[in-house]
Amino acid sequence: MSLKRSSSSFFIFLFSFFFLSSHVSLQACQKTCGQIPIKYPLGTGSGCGDPRFTRYITCDPDQQTLTLTTHTGSYPITSVDYAKQEIYVTDPSMSTCACTRPSHGFGLDWDAPFSFHDDTVFTLLDCSVDESPVFTPLSNGSGRVSLCDRQSSSICTFLYSNCRAISLINLQVSTCCVYVPLDLGPSFEMDLNKLKCSSYSGFYNLGPGQESHPENWNYGIALKYKFNVFDEYPGVCGSCERSNGACGFNTQSSSFVCNCPGGINTTSDCFFLYNSASILVPWFSREWVMYPLSWFVVWMVMVLR
Ligand SMILES: *[C@@H]1O[C@H](CO)[C@@H](O)[C@H](O)[C@H]1NC(C)=O
Ligand SMILES: *[C@@H]1O[C@H](CO)[C@@H](O)[C@H](O)[C@H]1NC(C)=O
């Protein structure tokens, strides 16, 4: 009788240990958000990733969507290239070859840890030829100096003539302006109300020979980020991620935290945890021991009944 009871409680203990040590959802910092893998410096919530990114990039826990938020709105993140340190976002108010939409523009916060990638090309559409400052920026009598990239004006021609959605509304090509981020200056802002344009289109990584095929362009905005002034990946975070942890930080002190599977935090990596667990219960930390052992306990409980 007492043997039966103690074996059942041993089984429960073993089951909970196994459950706790393998159940990943207990890890406060997720390693994916929907289809997108999450690695440093991005994080899925407070205390995850790099503190400078937490305010701008969030993962909706129910929808599992990764979103960039700036003072101009919220934008779905479509992918992240961690090797190139690039983030790709879409703007639901942006026009593409398939449809035109009115927009207020797009802006980054001046203190955000990322900037426009050089590959991003903005095309301002339906701008007022007489009033838009992109066509007449200087009013000191020296004549009209356009802020648009004239050498790339073929982009306007292709967009206006090869895209049905745009050609249907019958705009003049002269209302189009190719605006590269360099021209955006330090304001990080493309305010279409100020620029007197009614919509815009953005795309990145225009491949060779693709210029005349606006239906194939990658519509969206490419952003780049840096880890720090020297742009070095923090070594402690590398070993945390290699040990199956997620890099995070203490919300009070901002100091580094490695969030390990099972929800335990360390200041280094999760190998440390596995090592100390195997010192306490040497054979518990090995899965090939855990599985047969659990079945053996189940079998024992059945036999004793
Ligand atoms: C571990 O760190 C994460 C991220 O900083 C935090 O959300 C969580 O509360 C911490 N857990 C413990 C047990 O301290
Ligand atoms: C107008 O402004 C531009 C740029 O600031 C300057 O180069 C130019 O000399 C100015 N012209 C006159 C007439 O002030």
Side-chain angles (χ1 to χ4, degrees), residues 26-29 45-49 246-251 255 257-260 262-266:
L26 286 172
Q27 199 167 1
C29 301
S46 158
C48 304
C247 301
F249 59 93
N250 183 312
T251 45
S255 60
V257 154
C258 183
N259 186 229
C260 295
I264 297 159
N265 292 332
T266 72

PDB file of all heavy atoms in Angstrom, residues 26-29 45-49 246-251 255 257-260 262-266, ligand 1:
ATOM      1  N   LEU A  26       7.426  27.999 -21.178  1.00  0.00           N
ATOM      2  CA  LEU A  26       7.755  28.648 -19.914  1.00  0.00           C
ATOM      3  C   LEU A  26       8.870  29.668 -20.099  1.00  0.00           C
ATOM      4  O   LEU A  26       9.087  30.500 -19.232  1.00  0.00           O
ATOM      5  CB  LEU A  26       8.185  27.597 -18.881  1.00  0.00           C
ATOM      6  CG  LEU A  26       7.048  26.757 -18.318  1.00  0.00           C
ATOM      7  CD1 LEU A  26       7.589  25.646 -17.462  1.00  0.00           C
ATOM      8  CD2 LEU A  26       6.099  27.626 -17.527  1.00  0.00           C
ATOM      9  N   GLN A  27       9.562  29.586 -21.218  1.00  0.00           N
ATOM     10  CA  GLN A  27      10.624  30.537 -21.502  1.00  0.00           C
ATOM     11  C   GLN A  27       9.970  31.886 -21.808  1.00  0.00           C
ATOM     12  O   GLN A  27       9.167  31.994 -22.739  1.00  0.00           O
ATOM     13  CB  GLN A  27      11.423  30.030 -22.703  1.00  0.00           C
ATOM     14  CG  GLN A  27      12.794  30.634 -22.830  1.00  0.00           C
ATOM     15  CD  GLN A  27      13.657  29.881 -23.837  1.00  0.00           C
ATOM     16  OE1 GLN A  27      13.207  28.928 -24.450  1.00  0.00           O
ATOM     17  NE2 GLN A  27      14.875  30.310 -23.990  1.00  0.00           N
ATOM     18  N   ALA A  28      10.284  32.905 -20.990  1.00  0.00           N
ATOM     19  CA  ALA A  28       9.618  34.206 -21.120  1.00  0.00           C
ATOM     20  C   ALA A  28       9.863  34.834 -22.481  1.00  0.00           C
ATOM     21  O   ALA A  28       8.987  35.493 -23.030  1.00  0.00           O
ATOM     22  CB  ALA A  28      10.087  35.132 -20.011  1.00  0.00           C
ATOM     23  N   CYS A  29      11.069  34.624 -23.031  1.00  0.00           N
ATOM     24  CA  CYS A  29      11.391  35.221 -24.322  1.00  0.00           C
ATOM     25  C   CYS A  29      11.241  34.158 -25.403  1.00  0.00           C
ATOM     26  O   CYS A  29      11.968  33.170 -25.403  1.00  0.00           O
ATOM     27  CB  CYS A  29      12.813  35.766 -24.298  1.00  0.00           C
ATOM     28  SG  CYS A  29      13.066  37.011 -23.012  1.00  0.00           S
ATOM     29  N   GLY A  45       9.158  40.615 -26.126  1.00  0.00           N
ATOM     30  CA  GLY A  45       8.420  41.255 -25.035  1.00  0.00           C
ATOM     31  C   GLY A  45       9.368  41.988 -24.117  1.00  0.00           C
ATOM     32  O   GLY A  45      10.572  42.077 -24.369  1.00  0.00           O
ATOM     33  N   SER A  46       8.813  42.510 -23.040  1.00  0.00           N
ATOM     34  CA  SER A  46       9.592  43.253 -22.069  1.00  0.00           C
ATOM     35  C   SER A  46      10.677  42.353 -21.475  1.00  0.00           C
ATOM     36  O   SER A  46      10.412  41.207 -21.106  1.00  0.00           O
ATOM     37  CB  SER A  46       8.635  43.768 -20.992  1.00  0.00           C
ATOM     38  OG  SER A  46       9.335  44.041 -19.830  1.00  0.00           O
ATOM     39  N   GLY A  47      11.905  42.820 -21.417  1.00  0.00           N
ATOM     40  CA  GLY A  47      12.995  42.014 -20.863  1.00  0.00           C
ATOM     41  C   GLY A  47      13.642  41.089 -21.879  1.00  0.00           C
ATOM     42  O   GLY A  47      14.525  40.326 -21.526  1.00  0.00           O
ATOM     43  N   CYS A  48      13.204  41.144 -23.156  1.00  0.00           N
ATOM     44  CA  CYS A  48      13.756  40.253 -24.178  1.00  0.00           C
ATOM     45  C   CYS A  48      14.489  41.078 -25.237  1.00  0.00           C
ATOM     46  O   CYS A  48      14.065  42.178 -25.575  1.00  0.00           O
ATOM     47  CB  CYS A  48      12.651  39.468 -24.856  1.00  0.00           C
ATOM     48  SG  CYS A  48      11.657  38.524 -23.697  1.00  0.00           S
ATOM     49  N   GLY A  49      15.577  40.518 -25.766  1.00  0.00           N
ATOM     50  CA  GLY A  49      16.338  41.207 -26.810  1.00  0.00           C
ATOM     51  C   GLY A  49      17.149  42.354 -26.234  1.00  0.00           C
ATOM     52  O   GLY A  49      17.616  42.296 -25.101  1.00  0.00           O
ATOM     53  N   ALA A 246      17.566  32.588 -24.855  1.00  0.00           N
ATOM     54  CA  ALA A 246      17.212  33.807 -25.577  1.00  0.00           C
ATOM     55  C   ALA A 246      17.829  34.976 -24.813  1.00  0.00           C
ATOM     56  O   ALA A 246      17.729  35.029 -23.586  1.00  0.00           O
ATOM     57  CB  ALA A 246      15.702  33.959 -25.668  1.00  0.00           C
ATOM     58  N   CYS A 247      18.473  35.891 -25.556  1.00  0.00           N
ATOM     59  CA  CYS A 247      19.111  37.016 -24.884  1.00  0.00           C
ATOM     60  C   CYS A 247      18.064  38.020 -24.436  1.00  0.00           C
ATOM     61  O   CYS A 247      17.136  38.346 -25.168  1.00  0.00           O
ATOM     62  CB  CYS A 247      20.097  37.702 -25.829  1.00  0.00           C
ATOM     63  SG  CYS A 247      21.361  36.575 -26.411  1.00  0.00           S
ATOM     64  N   GLY A 248      18.236  38.503 -23.224  1.00  0.00           N
ATOM     65  CA  GLY A 248      17.302  39.481 -22.683  1.00  0.00           C
ATOM     66  C   GLY A 248      18.022  40.388 -21.719  1.00  0.00           C
ATOM     67  O   GLY A 248      19.258  40.431 -21.689  1.00  0.00           O
ATOM     68  N   PHE A 249      17.251  41.114 -20.952  1.00  0.00           N
ATOM     69  CA  PHE A 249      17.864  42.046 -20.007  1.00  0.00           C
ATOM     70  C   PHE A 249      16.969  42.187 -18.794  1.00  0.00           C
ATOM     71  O   PHE A 249      15.758  41.940 -18.867  1.00  0.00           O
ATOM     72  CB  PHE A 249      18.094  43.408 -20.678  1.00  0.00           C
ATOM     73  CG  PHE A 249      16.823  44.041 -21.193  1.00  0.00           C
ATOM     74  CD1 PHE A 249      16.095  44.931 -20.420  1.00  0.00           C
ATOM     75  CD2 PHE A 249      16.328  43.714 -22.445  1.00  0.00           C
ATOM     76  CE1 PHE A 249      14.918  45.502 -20.887  1.00  0.00           C
ATOM     77  CE2 PHE A 249      15.146  44.283 -22.920  1.00  0.00           C
ATOM     78  CZ  PHE A 249      14.448  45.173 -22.130  1.00  0.00           C
ATOM     79  N   ASN A 250      17.587  42.567 -17.704  1.00  0.00           N
ATOM     80  CA  ASN A 250      16.849  42.820 -16.466  1.00  0.00           C
ATOM     81  C   ASN A 250      16.128  44.165 -16.620  1.00  0.00           C
ATOM     82  O   ASN A 250      16.760  45.181 -16.922  1.00  0.00           O
ATOM     83  CB  ASN A 250      17.867  42.875 -15.322  1.00  0.00           C
ATOM     84  CG  ASN A 250      17.210  43.054 -13.973  1.00  0.00           C
ATOM     85  OD1 ASN A 250      16.346  43.916 -13.815  1.00  0.00           O
ATOM     86  ND2 ASN A 250      17.627  42.263 -13.020  1.00  0.00           N
ATOM     87  N   THR A 251      14.803  44.162 -16.472  1.00  0.00           N
ATOM     88  CA  THR A 251      14.045  45.390 -16.744  1.00  0.00           C
ATOM     89  C   THR A 251      14.373  46.513 -15.751  1.00  0.00           C
ATOM     90  O   THR A 251      14.144  47.678 -16.061  1.00  0.00           O
ATOM     91  CB  THR A 251      12.527  45.119 -16.743  1.00  0.00           C
ATOM     92  OG1 THR A 251      12.218  44.310 -15.618  1.00  0.00           O
ATOM     93  CG2 THR A 251      12.106  44.413 -18.020  1.00  0.00           C
ATOM     94  N   SER A 255      20.790  45.135 -17.190  1.00  0.00           N
ATOM     95  CA  SER A 255      21.946  44.261 -17.374  1.00  0.00           C
ATOM     96  C   SER A 255      21.533  42.988 -18.116  1.00  0.00           C
ATOM     97  O   SER A 255      20.368  42.591 -18.122  1.00  0.00           O
ATOM     98  CB  SER A 255      22.558  43.912 -16.018  1.00  0.00           C
ATOM     99  OG  SER A 255      21.604  43.247 -15.232  1.00  0.00           O
ATOM    100  N   VAL A 257      20.717  39.309 -19.421  1.00  0.00           N
ATOM    101  CA  VAL A 257      20.102  38.122 -18.839  1.00  0.00           C
ATOM    102  C   VAL A 257      20.001  37.087 -19.950  1.00  0.00           C
ATOM    103  O   VAL A 257      19.663  37.428 -21.090  1.00  0.00           O
ATOM    104  CB  VAL A 257      18.689  38.473 -18.291  1.00  0.00           C
ATOM    105  CG1 VAL A 257      17.794  37.270 -18.260  1.00  0.00           C
ATOM    106  CG2 VAL A 257      18.772  39.105 -16.924  1.00  0.00           C
ATOM    107  N   CYS A 258      20.340  35.830 -19.624  1.00  0.00           N
ATOM    108  CA  CYS A 258      20.119  34.754 -20.580  1.00  0.00           C
ATOM    109  C   CYS A 258      18.895  33.980 -20.116  1.00  0.00           C
ATOM    110  O   CYS A 258      18.906  33.395 -19.032  1.00  0.00           O
ATOM    111  CB  CYS A 258      21.350  33.846 -20.681  1.00  0.00           C
ATOM    112  SG  CYS A 258      21.174  32.546 -21.911  1.00  0.00           S
ATOM    113  N   ASN A 259      17.828  34.036 -20.904  1.00  0.00           N
ATOM    114  CA  ASN A 259      16.560  33.398 -20.551  1.00  0.00           C
ATOM    115  C   ASN A 259      16.568  31.961 -21.099  1.00  0.00           C
ATOM    116  O   ASN A 259      16.502  31.746 -22.306  1.00  0.00           O
ATOM    117  CB  ASN A 259      15.420  34.231 -21.151  1.00  0.00           C
ATOM    118  CG  ASN A 259      14.043  33.750 -20.742  1.00  0.00           C
ATOM    119  OD1 ASN A 259      13.169  33.582 -21.579  1.00  0.00           O
ATOM    120  ND2 ASN A 259      13.838  33.533 -19.464  1.00  0.00           N
ATOM    121  N   CYS A 260      16.670  31.000 -20.180  1.00  0.00           N
ATOM    122  CA  CYS A 260      16.853  29.603 -20.579  1.00  0.00           C
ATOM    123  C   CYS A 260      15.524  28.858 -20.668  1.00  0.00           C
ATOM    124  O   CYS A 260      14.541  29.265 -20.044  1.00  0.00           O
ATOM    125  CB  CYS A 260      17.768  28.903 -19.588  1.00  0.00           C
ATOM    126  SG  CYS A 260      19.429  29.578 -19.597  1.00  0.00           S
ATOM    127  N   GLY A 262      12.602  26.550 -19.732  1.00  0.00           N
ATOM    128  CA  GLY A 262      12.183  26.285 -18.367  1.00  0.00           C
ATOM    129  C   GLY A 262      12.015  27.566 -17.569  1.00  0.00           C
ATOM    130  O   GLY A 262      11.537  27.538 -16.442  1.00  0.00           O
ATOM    131  N   GLY A 263      12.408  28.717 -18.163  1.00  0.00           N
ATOM    132  CA  GLY A 263      12.145  30.008 -17.528  1.00  0.00           C
ATOM    133  C   GLY A 263      13.218  30.494 -16.578  1.00  0.00           C
ATOM    134  O   GLY A 263      13.077  31.544 -15.975  1.00  0.00           O
ATOM    135  N   ILE A 264      14.309  29.721 -16.443  1.00  0.00           N
ATOM    136  CA  ILE A 264      15.364  30.146 -15.519  1.00  0.00           C
ATOM    137  C   ILE A 264      16.296  31.132 -16.215  1.00  0.00           C
ATOM    138  O   ILE A 264      16.619  30.956 -17.389  1.00  0.00           O
ATOM    139  CB  ILE A 264      16.131  28.913 -14.995  1.00  0.00           C
ATOM    140  CG1 ILE A 264      15.150  28.028 -14.210  1.00  0.00           C
ATOM    141  CG2 ILE A 264      17.300  29.324 -14.112  1.00  0.00           C
ATOM    142  CD1 ILE A 264      15.582  26.609 -14.057  1.00  0.00           C
ATOM    143  N   ASN A 265      16.693  32.194 -15.491  1.00  0.00           N
ATOM    144  CA  ASN A 265      17.590  33.192 -16.064  1.00  0.00           C
ATOM    145  C   ASN A 265      18.991  33.051 -15.487  1.00  0.00           C
ATOM    146  O   ASN A 265      19.151  32.813 -14.297  1.00  0.00           O
ATOM    147  CB  ASN A 265      17.076  34.596 -15.731  1.00  0.00           C
ATOM    148  CG  ASN A 265      15.780  34.899 -16.455  1.00  0.00           C
ATOM    149  OD1 ASN A 265      15.527  34.367 -17.527  1.00  0.00           O
ATOM    150  ND2 ASN A 265      14.965  35.741 -15.856  1.00  0.00           N
ATOM    151  N   THR A 266      19.983  33.209 -16.342  1.00  0.00           N
ATOM    152  CA  THR A 266      21.362  33.226 -15.851  1.00  0.00           C
ATOM    153  C   THR A 266      22.032  34.492 -16.384  1.00  0.00           C
ATOM    154  O   THR A 266      21.473  35.182 -17.247  1.00  0.00           O
ATOM    155  CB  THR A 266      22.173  31.999 -16.347  1.00  0.00           C
ATOM    156  OG1 THR A 266      22.441  32.156 -17.737  1.00  0.00           O
ATOM    157  CG2 THR A 266      21.431  30.708 -16.112  1.00  0.00           C
TER     158      THR A 266
HETATM  159  C1  LIG B   1      13.714  36.021 -16.723  1.00  0.00           C
HETATM  160  O1  LIG B   1      13.953  37.036 -17.660  1.00  0.00           O
HETATM  161  C2  LIG B   1      12.811  37.414 -18.418  1.00  0.00           C
HETATM  162  C3  LIG B   1      13.282  38.412 -19.447  1.00  0.00           C
HETATM  163  O2  LIG B   1      14.001  39.442 -18.868  1.00  0.00           O
HETATM  164  C4  LIG B   1      11.741  37.953 -17.495  1.00  0.00           C
HETATM  165  O3  LIG B   1      10.584  38.283 -18.239  1.00  0.00           O
HETATM  166  C5  LIG B   1      11.378  36.874 -16.485  1.00  0.00           C
HETATM  167  O4  LIG B   1      10.440  37.383 -15.542  1.00  0.00           O
HETATM  168  C6  LIG B   1      12.631  36.414 -15.741  1.00  0.00           C
HETATM  169  N1  LIG B   1      12.285  35.262 -14.906  1.00  0.00           N
HETATM  170  C7  LIG B   1      12.687  35.129 -13.659  1.00  0.00           C
HETATM  171  C8  LIG B   1      12.272  33.877 -12.977  1.00  0.00           C
HETATM  172  O5  LIG B   1      13.352  35.993 -13.086  1.00  0.00           O
END
